[in-house]
Every structure is written in structure tokens, then in C-alpha cells.
């Protein structure tokens, strides 16, 4: 078994969201538009991204705790302690964020998206299209 894997961010989030305590918990809960700013070597990977497309953005939640295995969902103390694999908590052994977003604009190495609750500076690991029933990508 391999003990470690090397992940290299392909970009970063540029967002007005800077404080986890006041940021929306999910992208569809009032997140402002944000930009995915990509590194120059991955520019060919941005080809064919279109306005209106839905994407899955994988991020590294770099400010999350990695030692948390159970949480009270949404920080609600009245809810039972729940294993993190049954929640969307950012605090988990491998804090990989999964965000479903919609492309608003494409400008060179920058892609503006809606519904991204990630904080400013969050590393972007990968981007994948949301597939429909007839999509063959």
C-alpha cells in the first residue's frame, strides 16, 4: 500500500470569501461569483470550457483540520455526532472539496463560476464536467 500521494494544484480560487465562519456552507446558499485562476502549464486543459457548463471542481481545503472524524452536521449542537464520511464537513482525514459550479465566463487562465463556497486562495486540484445521460466525454 502506498502511504503518500503527491497532488499538485492546477490553480487557486479567487473569491471575496475569506472567513470560513461567515462563508456559506454550500455553494447554493448565497455564494458570490468567484474565479478559478489556473496555472499557465494547464492552459490546454481549459480548451472547450463553455459559459453555462456545469463543472465539478475538486479543491484541497487547506484550512480544514485533518484529525476530525466525527462532527455535528452544519455545526448544530442539537444534532447527533456523525461520522465525517456521512457529512459535507470540510474537516476530514483528506480534506478534498467537491463543488458543483456553473461557468459564467472564460477569460484566458481565469474561469468565473457561480455557486462556489471555497475561500479565497483555496488550491484547485482538478475540474471535471458534470455528465448528462447522453454525454460521451
Amino acid at each position: 500500500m502506498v502511504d503518500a500521494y503527491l497532488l499538485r494544484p492546477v490553480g487557486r480560487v479567487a473569491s471575496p470569501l475569506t472567513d470560513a465562519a461567515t462563508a456559506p456552507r454550500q455553494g447554493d446558499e448565497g455564494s458570490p461569483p468567484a474565479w478559478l485562476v489556473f496555472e499557465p502549464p494547464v492552459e490546454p486543459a481549459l480548451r472547450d470550457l463553455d459559459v453555462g457548463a456545469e463543472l465539478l471542481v475538486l479543491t484541497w481545503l487547506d484550512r480544514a483540520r485533518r484529525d476530525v472524524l466525527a462532527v455535528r452536521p452544519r455545526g448544530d449542537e442539537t444534532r447527533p455526532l456523525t461520522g465525517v464520511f456521512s457529512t459535507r464537513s470540510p474537516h476530514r482525514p483528506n480534506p478534498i472539496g467537491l463543488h458543483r459550479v456553473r461557468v459564467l465566463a472564460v477569460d484566458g487562465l481565469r474561469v468565473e463560476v457561480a455557486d462556489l463556497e471555497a475561500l479565497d486562495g483555496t488550491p484547485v486540484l482538478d475540474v471535471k464536467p458534470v455528465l448528462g445521460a447522453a454525454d460521451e466525454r
Side-chain angles (χ1 to χ4, degrees):
M1 182 174 180
V2 176
D3 292 325
Y5 295 90
L6 178 62
L7 297 174
R8 291 186 184 99
V10 296
R12 299 225 175 248
V13 172
S15 171
L17 299 174
T18 58
D19 179 26
T22 59
R25 293 188 183 268
Q26 297 297 321
D28 62 356
E29 296 178 350
S31 294
W35 289 90
L36 306 176
V37 181
F38 292 91
E39 297 294 329
V42 302
E43 184 175 17
L46 301 172
R47 182 189 293 151
D48 305 313
L49 287 184
D50 296 318
V51 171
E54 289 189 324
L55 304 174
L56 296 173
V57 178
L58 286 88
T59 60
W60 186 260
L61 303 173
D62 58 325
R63 286 156 266 200
R65 290 181 47 198
R66 297 186 71 179
D67 61 342
V68 175
L69 300 177
V71 296
R72 298 193 188 277
R74 301 183 71 80
D76 183 346
E77 293 298 320
T78 66
R79 297 179 75 176
L81 202 57
T82 305
V84 294
F85 294 159
S86 295
T87 76
R88 295 286 306 228
S89 172
H91 307 294
R92 52 198 325 110
N94 289 307
I96 297 171
L98 178 65
H99 317 270
R100 186 173 181 154
V101 302
R102 184 173 37 87
V103 176
L104 300 175
V106 179
D107 181 20
L109 291 170
R110 296 166 35 95
V111 177
E112 187 180 28
V113 297
D115 299 330
L116 180 62
E117 80 283 8
L119 299 178
D120 187 60
T122 298
V124 174
L125 298 177
D126 205 350
V127 176
K128 296 178 181 275
V130 172
L131 298 179
D135 209 327
E136 296 182 17
R137 289 186 194 191

